Amino acid sequence: DTEVTQTPKHLVMGMTNKKSLKCEQHMGHRAMYWYKQKAKKPPELMFVYSYEKLSINESVPSRFSPECPNSSLLNLHLHALQPEDSALYLCASSPNDYSNQPQHFGDGTRLSIL
Amino acid sequence: DQQVKQNSPSLSVQEGRISILNCDYTNSMFDYFLWYKKYPAEGPTFLISISSIKDKNEDGRFTVFLNKSAKHLSLHIVPSQPGDSAVYFCAARAPQGAQKLVFGQGTRLTINP
């Protein structure tokens, strides 16, 4: 059982839709992450939140908008996405963003843009 | 610029034998290294990690070796079991004060009965 829960597991949306991905953890972790993984490629970091504040944005297009409403929740708001944004979106968490502690991943949301 | 490389896309090993997965990196400032296992339709699962101040870390059947002079790390699994069949990613933490992980391309390990 993964301790990082992502919903929905699958999402199909048109290029004009607005949708949100949700990530939740109850391990008391204070750092949370969004990654994007294309088929047969490694995960690529998108955003890092530390103590509910955005600390890293890896030059992600503004059609992706992260939000961390509290220490347990992380959202990724999607708007006007392109077909090339179809991918597996992974959320991860770790106790903090500076010590030698591993990140724990959810099972991801598989996103398809029509 | 691929800072973390896994040069073997796939590896096939007999059940009960040792599996050795390799990873090379280019940035000598990386200070923390991890191995993750990934099954289809699941997220990566953390296996084992090593700090740059160590050269070996063991956890049950899994041992990670770090050779800083060669910028090389390896994961040894012994004995290999059919449930070990998965894609294995090595990852390194970028030295920027935050947990920015850089992943290798992955190696698909198949354990044959």
Side-chain angles (χ1 to χ4, degrees):
Chain A
D1 277 349
T2 181
E3 295 178 81
V4 176
T5 304
Q6 291 188 243
T7 54
K9 291 193 182 305
H10 302 275
L11 179 61
V12 179
M13 57 187 286
M15 289 189 284
T16 57
N17 292 157
K18 286 186 181 181
K19 296 284 184 184
S20 297
L21 310 185
K22 180 179 172 181
C23 175
E24 196 166 0
Q25 57 87 16
H26 296 287
M27 296 179 281
H29 290 175
R30 303 309 298 272
M32 297 185 76
Y33 313 81
W34 281 115
Y35 287 84
K36 175 181 178 179
Q37 185 176 21
K38 301 282 279 186
K40 299 190 188 302
K41 297 289 187 183
E44 291 183 349
L45 183 68
M46 300 174 71
F47 303 103
V48 179
Y49 271 83
S50 176
Y51 291 84
E52 294 94 70
K53 293 192 187 314
L54 183 65
S55 61
I56 294 180
N57 176 341
E58 288 290 284
S59 302
V60 179
S62 59
R63 58 186 184 268
F64 295 91
S65 175
E67 178 197 20
C68 189
N70 61 57
S71 60
S72 301
L73 279 176
L74 185 66
N75 298 319
L76 186 63
H77 303 297
L78 314 173
H79 174 55
L81 294 194
Q82 304 298 308
E84 61 265 27
D85 297 323
S86 297
L88 180 68
Y89 288 84
L90 292 163
C91 173
S93 71
S94 65
N96 52 59
D97 67 347
Y98 52 84
S99 63
N100 287 354
Q101 300 272 9
Q103 295 177 23
H104 296 273
F105 285 82
D107 287 337
T109 293
R110 187 158 299 281
L111 177 64
S112 298
I113 307 300
L114 301 178
Chain B
D1 177 25
Q2 199 175 339
Q3 298 187 72
V4 179
K5 296 180 183 179
Q6 295 175 254
N7 291 318
S8 298
S10 63
L11 176 67
S12 187
V13 174
Q14 201 76 18
E15 181 180 358
R17 305 294 289 269
I18 184 171
S19 296
I20 300 176
L21 296 101
N22 294 304
C23 180
D24 298 296
Y25 61 95
T26 57
N27 190 336
S28 59
M29 298 297 288
F30 284 143
D31 60 358
Y32 182 54
F33 302 87
L34 309 91
W35 284 95
Y36 285 87
K37 176 170 76 173
K38 189 175 185 304
Y39 295 119
E42 293 184 12
T45 300
F46 169 70
L47 274 177
I48 192 169
S49 63
I50 187 166
S51 164
S52 60
I53 63 172
K54 296 187 174 182
D55 55 18
K56 178 182 173 182
N57 189 26
E58 274 183 271
D59 185 1
R61 297 186 297 116
F62 302 94
T63 303
V64 56
F65 295 92
L66 176 62
N67 182 334
K68 288 188 291 293
S69 60
K71 297 191 183 68
H72 177 83
L73 67 156
S74 61
L75 174 67
H76 293 210
I77 306 173
V78 58
S80 300
Q81 299 173 354
D84 296 330
S85 295
V87 177
Y88 289 76
F89 290 98
C90 69
R93 183 172 69 183
Q96 292 164 314
Q99 284 257 14
K100 179 179 174 179
L101 294 183
V102 180
F103 284 82
Q105 297 290 319
T107 296
R108 180 176 300 279
L109 175 66
T110 302
I111 305 301
N112 302 308

